[in-house]
Amino acid sequence: MAENNRRDGDIEFWLRQLEDGAISEDDFESDGDELDFYPTQQDLLDVLENDDDDGEARSNDNNEEIIPDPPIVIADAVPSNNNDAPVHSLDIQRLIWKNQPLPFNENAIKFNGTEEHPESLMNLQTPFQFFSYFFTEEFLSQIVTETNNYAVQNKPDRPDVITLGELRKYLGILIYMSVYHYPSVRGYWANKHGFEAIIKAMPVNKFEKIRRVLHFNDNNKHLPIDHPQHDRLHKLRPVIEHLNTKFSTIPISQRLSIDEQMCATKMGHFLKQYLPNKPHKWG
């Protein structure tokens, strides 16, 4: 309110000064951007035309390059990737459909593989030989090395190291457990209803120690999550690469039937899925 009164007082003061002749309108400062006054519209048009003529004359004197207008583009044309020539869109209503046999290229679907198995596979007779073909001595020795390295890292004073023979027994027990299902792991070593072959192969405490320290890769080489080359399957990467290499040695038949199976588990892992219509919903 006080600001409005002050402005009104200033206006009255300047008006009295003008009436008394103490100052004139020319005494007020101008910002320098005075607007020209044109009495009629025709006068304004004449001035604009003269300005355009002066601009063209200046551009011709300076020998400036005149950029031509862009060419007219056809509305229903689409430029191609190879050149700028327009390619007209396809008129679907004018298409003519014909009944003719589908072009068939036999060479495109011809089976170029072989179904002959190598001699190394044909000589395998027993289940143990087939198992040893995939889980070779070298690969099992690598598992023993990585397991013992982790055991030393975990308990340097008393590491739970294993041998190659103990690893073979451990894998054999896992195969038995996949066929004969007990309510719990320790149930296989029960006094009354235990599994005799497993009891004779290894004590339960040794089995649990191997299961606790079993490793396939070096944890020190595991890159952090924010690294661009982080491998979420680092712990199993040697097993995956080894088995893929061995599987690739088996010839692929011309006709294949492929299916998948859910491995039941409820562990916290990014690969875990929930499929309610499967026999094992979590896996």
Side-chain angles (χ1 to χ4, degrees):
M1 188 67 181
E3 184 178 357
N4 293 334
N5 294 334
R6 186 168 57 254
R7 289 181 179 177
D8 295 341
D10 294 340
I11 294 174
E12 293 177 357
F13 172 77
W14 292 113
L15 289 176
R16 285 195 299 269
Q17 293 290 327
L18 290 172
E19 292 177 356
D20 297 338
I23 61 173
S24 64
E25 295 180 0
D26 297 335
D27 294 335
F28 289 96
E29 295 181 358
S30 175
D31 56 357
D33 296 335
E34 297 182 357
L35 299 177
D36 296 332
F37 175 74
Y38 302 98
T40 62
Q41 183 179 4
Q42 185 63 34
D43 295 337
L44 177 60
L45 294 176
D46 294 340
V47 173
L48 294 176
E49 291 178 357
N50 294 332
D51 292 341
D52 293 340
D53 295 339
D54 295 340
E56 292 179 359
R58 287 193 299 269
S59 62
N60 293 333
D61 295 339
N62 296 332
N63 295 326
E64 295 181 356
E65 182 181 359
I66 300 176
I67 302 176
D69 295 334
I72 299 176
V73 180
I74 303 175
D76 59 345
V78 180
S80 61
N81 296 328
N82 298 331
N83 48 36
D84 296 335
V87 179
H88 294 277
S89 59
L90 184 63
D91 190 356
I92 301 178
Q93 296 180 354
R94 297 183 181 180
L95 288 178
I96 300 176
W97 297 90
K98 297 181 180 180
N99 292 327
Q100 59 182 8
L102 183 67
F104 177 73
N105 186 4
E106 185 177 358
N107 295 327
I109 63 173
K110 184 179 179 181
F111 179 70
N112 297 322
T114 177
E115 295 184 356
E116 296 182 1
H117 292 74
E119 185 177 358
S120 58
L121 288 176
M122 298 302 297
N123 293 333
L124 301 178
Q125 300 295 331
T126 63
F128 177 75
Q129 291 178 351
F130 279 96
F131 177 83
S132 300
Y133 177 80
F134 294 101
F135 291 86
T136 60
E137 190 86 8
E138 181 181 0
F139 179 60
L140 294 179
S141 299
Q142 180 182 354
I143 296 176
V144 172
T145 301
E146 296 297 341
T147 300
N148 292 336
N149 290 338
Y150 175 76
V152 173
Q153 295 173 2
N154 190 26
K155 295 173 60 177
D157 52 345
R158 290 189 305 171
D160 297 326
V161 296
I162 65 174
T163 62
L164 182 60
E166 291 174 343
L167 178 61
R168 290 183 179 275
K169 293 180 180 180
Y170 176 82
L171 296 177
I173 293 174
L174 294 181
I175 295 175
Y176 269 127
M177 290 181 176
S178 65
V179 179
Y180 302 96
H181 300 279
Y182 275 44
S184 63
V185 174
R186 284 188 167 269
Y188 293 94
W189 283 268
N191 295 329
K192 187 175 182 180
H193 301 288
F195 198 86
E196 185 177 359
I198 294 179
I199 295 175
K200 292 181 179 180
M202 180 181 295
V204 62
N205 292 336
K206 185 63 177 180
F207 176 84
E208 291 181 347
K209 288 181 180 179
I210 295 177
R211 186 174 63 172
R212 190 182 306 115
V213 299
L214 184 65
H215 266 65
F216 305 101
N217 208 349
D218 189 0
N219 290 340
N220 295 329
K221 298 180 181 179
H222 194 189
L223 300 176
I225 298 178
D226 55 351
H227 196 277
Q229 297 181 354
H230 172 72
D231 187 7
R232 304 180 76 174
L233 296 176
H234 171 79
K235 293 181 179 293
L236 296 176
R237 184 59 58 187
V239 181
I240 297 173
E241 293 181 353
H242 172 76
L243 292 180
N244 285 337
T245 302
K246 299 299 292 186
F247 292 154
S248 62
T249 60
I250 302 176
I252 300 178
S253 302
Q254 183 175 0
R255 295 175 177 83
L256 299 175
S257 178
I258 302 176
D259 195 6
E260 59 184 8
Q261 183 180 1
M262 176 75 77
C263 297
T265 181
K266 289 188 177 180
M267 66 177 182
H269 199 270
F270 74 98
L271 290 177
K272 184 178 65 176
Q273 296 180 347
Y274 174 71
L275 301 177
N277 296 329
K278 294 289 185 178
H280 300 290
K281 296 178 175 57
W282 294 95

